[in-house]
Coordinates of all heavy atoms in Angstrom, one line a residue:
R1330 N 9.8 7.2 -14.3 CA 9.3 8.5 -13.8 C 9.4 8.7 -12.3 O 9.8 9.8 -11.8 CB 7.9 8.8 -14.3 CG 7.9 9.0 -15.8 CD 6.4 9.5 -16.2 NE 5.3 8.8 -15.6 CZ 4.7 7.7 -16.2 NH1 5.2 7.2 -17.3 NH2 3.7 7.1 -15.6
A1331 N 9.1 7.6 -11.5 CA 9.0 7.7 -10.1 C 10.5 7.9 -9.6 O 10.8 8.6 -8.7 CB 8.4 6.4 -9.6
R1332 N 11.4 7.1 -10.1 CA 12.8 7.2 -9.8 C 13.4 8.6 -10.1 O 14.1 9.1 -9.2 CB 13.6 6.1 -10.4 CG 13.3 4.7 -10.0 CD 14.0 3.6 -10.8 NE 13.7 2.4 -10.3 CZ 13.6 1.3 -11.1 NH1 13.9 1.4 -12.4 NH2 13.3 0.0 -10.6
E1333 N 13.0 9.1 -11.2 CA 13.5 10.5 -11.5 C 12.9 11.5 -10.6 O 13.6 12.4 -10.1 CB 13.0 10.8 -13.0 CG 13.6 12.2 -13.5 CD 13.1 12.5 -14.9 OE1 12.8 11.6 -15.6 OE2 13.3 13.7 -15.2
T1334 N 11.7 11.4 -10.3 CA 11.0 12.3 -9.3 C 11.7 12.3 -7.9 O 12.0 13.2 -7.3 CB 9.5 12.0 -9.2 OG1 8.9 12.1 -10.4 CG2 8.9 12.8 -8.1
L1335 N 11.9 11.0 -7.5 CA 12.6 10.9 -6.2 C 14.0 11.4 -6.2 O 14.5 12.0 -5.2 CB 12.6 9.4 -5.7 CG 11.3 8.8 -5.3 CD1 11.4 7.3 -5.0 CD2 10.9 9.6 -4.1
S1336 N 14.8 11.2 -7.3 CA 16.2 11.7 -7.4 C 16.1 13.2 -7.3 O 17.1 13.8 -6.9 CB 16.9 11.2 -8.6 OG 16.3 11.7 -9.8
K1337 N 15.2 13.9 -7.9 CA 15.0 15.3 -7.9 C 14.7 15.8 -6.5 O 15.2 16.8 -6.0 CB 14.0 15.8 -8.9 CG 14.5 15.8 -10.4 CD 13.5 16.2 -11.2 CE 13.9 16.0 -12.7 NZ 12.8 16.4 -13.6
R1338 N 13.8 15.1 -5.9 CA 13.3 15.5 -4.6 C 14.3 15.2 -3.5 O 14.5 16.0 -2.5 CB 12.0 14.8 -4.2 CG 11.4 15.3 -3.0 CD 10.0 15.0 -2.8 NE 9.1 15.5 -3.8 CZ 7.9 15.4 -4.0 NH1 7.2 14.6 -3.2 NH2 7.2 16.0 -4.9
Y1339 N 15.0 14.1 -3.6 CA 16.0 13.8 -2.6 C 17.3 13.5 -3.3 O 17.7 12.4 -3.5 CB 15.6 12.5 -1.9 CG 14.2 12.6 -1.2 CD1 13.1 11.9 -1.7 CD2 14.1 13.3 -0.1 CE1 11.9 12.0 -1.1 CE2 12.9 13.5 0.5 CZ 11.8 12.8 0.1 OH 10.6 12.9 0.6
P1340 N 18.1 14.6 -3.6 CA 19.4 14.5 -4.3 C 20.4 13.6 -3.6 O 21.3 13.1 -4.3 CB 19.8 15.9 -4.6 CG 19.0 16.7 -3.7 CD 17.8 15.9 -3.3
D1341 N 20.3 13.6 -2.3 CA 21.3 12.8 -1.5 C 20.9 11.3 -1.4 O 21.6 10.6 -0.7 CB 21.4 13.4 -0.1 CG 22.1 14.8 -0.1 OD1 22.8 15.1 -1.1 OD2 21.7 15.6 0.8
G1342 N 19.8 11.0 -2.1 CA 19.3 9.6 -2.0 C 18.4 9.2 -0.9 O 17.9 8.2 -0.9
R1343 N 18.0 10.1 0.0 CA 17.1 9.8 1.1 C 16.6 11.1 1.7 O 17.2 12.1 1.6 CB 17.8 8.9 2.1 CG 19.0 9.5 2.8 CD 19.8 8.7 3.7 NE 18.9 7.9 4.5 CZ 19.3 7.1 5.5 NH1 20.5 6.9 5.7 NH2 18.4 6.4 6.2
P1344 N 15.4 10.9 2.4 CA 14.9 12.1 3.1 C 15.9 12.5 4.2 O 16.6 11.7 4.8 CB 13.6 11.6 3.7 CG 13.3 10.4 2.9 CD 14.5 9.7 2.4
Q1345 N 15.9 13.8 4.5 CA 16.8 14.3 5.5 C 16.5 13.8 6.9 O 17.3 13.6 7.7 CB 16.9 15.8 5.5 CG 17.5 16.3 4.2 CD 17.8 17.8 4.2 OE1 17.4 18.5 5.3 NE2 18.3 18.3 3.2
V1346 N 15.2 13.7 7.2 CA 14.8 13.2 8.5 C 13.9 11.9 8.4 O 12.9 11.9 7.7 CB 13.9 14.3 9.2 CG1 13.4 13.8 10.6 CG2 14.7 15.6 9.4
A1347 N 14.5 10.9 9.0 CA 13.7 9.5 9.0 C 12.7 9.6 10.0 O 12.8 10.2 11.1 CB 14.7 8.4 9.2
P1348 N 11.5 9.0 9.7 CA 10.5 8.9 10.7 C 11.0 8.1 11.9 O 11.7 7.1 11.8 CB 9.3 8.1 10.0 CG 9.9 7.6 8.7 CD 11.2 8.3 8.4
K1349 N 10.5 8.5 13.0 CA 10.9 7.8 14.3 C 9.8 7.1 14.9 O 8.6 7.6 14.9 CB 11.4 8.8 15.3 CG 12.6 9.6 14.9 CD 13.1 10.6 15.9 CE 14.3 11.4 15.3 NZ 14.7 12.4 16.3
P1350 N 9.9 5.9 15.5 CA 8.8 5.1 16.1 C 8.4 6.0 17.4 O 9.2 6.8 17.9 CB 9.4 3.9 16.5 CG 11.0 4.0 16.5 CD 11.2 5.2 15.5
D1351 N 7.2 5.6 17.8 CA 6.7 6.3 19.0 C 7.4 5.8 20.3 O 8.3 4.9 20.2 CB 5.1 6.1 19.1 CG 4.7 4.7 19.4 OD1 5.6 3.8 19.3 OD2 3.6 4.5 19.7
A1352 N 7.1 6.3 21.5 CA 7.8 6.0 22.6 C 7.8 4.5 23.0 O 8.7 4.0 23.6 CB 7.3 6.8 23.8
S1353 N 6.8 3.7 22.6 CA 6.7 2.4 22.9 C 7.6 1.5 22.0 O 7.7 0.3 22.2 CB 5.2 1.9 22.9 OG 4.8 1.8 21.5
G1354 N 8.2 2.0 21.0 CA 9.0 1.3 20.1 C 8.2 0.7 18.9 O 8.7 0.0 18.1
R1355 N 6.9 1.0 18.9 CA 6.1 0.5 17.8 C 5.7 1.6 16.8 O 5.5 2.7 17.3 CB 4.8 -0.1 18.4 CG 5.0 -1.3 19.2 CD 3.7 -1.7 19.8 NE 3.7 -3.2 20.0 CZ 2.6 -3.9 20.4 NH1 1.6 -3.2 20.7 NH2 2.7 -5.2 20.5
D1356 N 5.6 1.3 15.6 CA 5.1 2.3 14.7 C 3.6 2.3 14.6 O 3.0 1.2 14.6 CB 5.7 2.0 13.3 CG 7.1 2.2 13.2 OD1 7.6 3.1 13.9 OD2 7.8 1.5 12.5
L1357 N 3.1 3.5 14.7 CA 1.6 3.5 14.6 C 1.1 3.5 13.1 O 1.8 4.1 12.3 CB 1.1 4.9 15.2 CG 1.4 5.1 16.7 CD1 0.9 6.4 17.1 CD2 0.6 4.0 17.5
T1358 N 0.0 2.8 12.9 CA -0.6 2.8 11.6 C -2.0 3.3 11.8 O -2.5 3.4 12.9 CB -0.6 1.4 11.0 OG1 -1.3 0.5 11.9 CG2 0.9 0.9 10.8
V1359 N -2.7 3.5 10.6 CA -4.0 4.0 10.7 C -4.9 2.9 11.4 O -4.9 1.7 11.0 CB -4.6 4.3 9.3 CG1 -6.0 4.6 9.3 CG2 -3.8 5.4 8.6
G1360 N -5.6 3.3 12.5 CA -6.4 2.3 13.0 C -5.8 1.5 14.1 O -6.4 0.6 14.7
G1361 N -4.6 1.7 14.5 CA -4.0 0.9 15.6 C -2.5 0.9 15.5 O -1.8 1.7 15.0
T1362 N -1.9 -0.1 16.2 CA -0.5 -0.3 16.2 C 0.0 -1.4 15.3 O -0.8 -2.3 14.9 CB 0.0 -0.6 17.6 OG1 -0.6 -1.7 18.1 CG2 -0.3 0.6 18.6
F1363 N 1.2 -1.4 14.9 CA 1.8 -2.4 14.1 C 2.6 -3.3 14.9 O 3.5 -2.8 15.6 CB 2.6 -1.8 12.9 CG 3.4 -2.8 12.1 CD1 2.7 -3.6 11.3 CD2 4.7 -2.9 12.2 CE1 3.2 -4.5 10.5 CE2 5.4 -3.8 11.4 CZ 4.7 -4.6 10.5
D1364 N 2.3 -4.6 14.9 CA 3.1 -5.6 15.7 C 3.7 -6.6 14.6 O 3.0 -7.6 14.2 CB 2.2 -6.2 16.6 CG 2.9 -7.3 17.5 OD1 4.3 -7.3 17.4 OD2 2.4 -8.0 18.3
P1365 N 5.0 -6.5 14.2 CA 5.5 -7.4 13.2 C 5.5 -8.8 13.7 O 5.4 -9.7 12.9 CB 7.0 -6.9 13.0 CG 7.3 -6.0 14.1 CD 5.9 -5.5 14.6
G1366 N 5.7 -9.1 15.0 CA 5.7 -10.4 15.5 C 4.3 -11.1 15.3 O 4.2 -12.4 15.2
A1367 N 3.3 -10.4 15.2 CA 1.9 -11.0 15.0 C 1.7 -11.5 13.6 O 1.0 -12.4 13.3 CB 0.8 -10.0 15.2
H1368 N 2.6 -11.1 12.7 CA 2.5 -11.5 11.3 C 3.6 -12.5 10.8 O 3.5 -12.8 9.6 CB 2.5 -10.3 10.4 CG 1.4 -9.3 10.7 ND1 0.1 -9.5 10.4 CD2 1.5 -8.0 11.3 CE1 -0.6 -8.5 11.0 NE2 0.2 -7.6 11.4
V1369 N 4.4 -12.9 11.7 CA 5.5 -13.8 11.3 C 4.9 -15.2 10.9 O 4.1 -15.7 11.7 CB 6.5 -14.0 12.4 CG1 7.5 -15.0 12.0 CG2 7.2 -12.6 12.7
G1370 N 5.3 -15.6 9.7 CA 4.7 -16.9 9.3 C 3.4 -16.9 8.7 O 2.8 -18.0 8.3

Side-chain angles (χ1 to χ4, degrees):
R1330 289 191 313 271
R1332 290 171 182 150
E1333 183 179 343
T1334 299
L1335 285 175
S1336 70
K1337 288 178 183 177
R1338 186 164 296 176
Y1339 303 110
D1341 296 331
R1343 63 186 317 182
Q1345 292 188 2
V1346 178
K1349 296 179 183 179
D1351 68 351
S1353 69
R1355 295 176 147 184
D1356 290 327
L1357 294 179
T1358 59
V1359 175
T1362 59
F1363 175 70
D1364 182 9
H1368 302 290
V1369 173

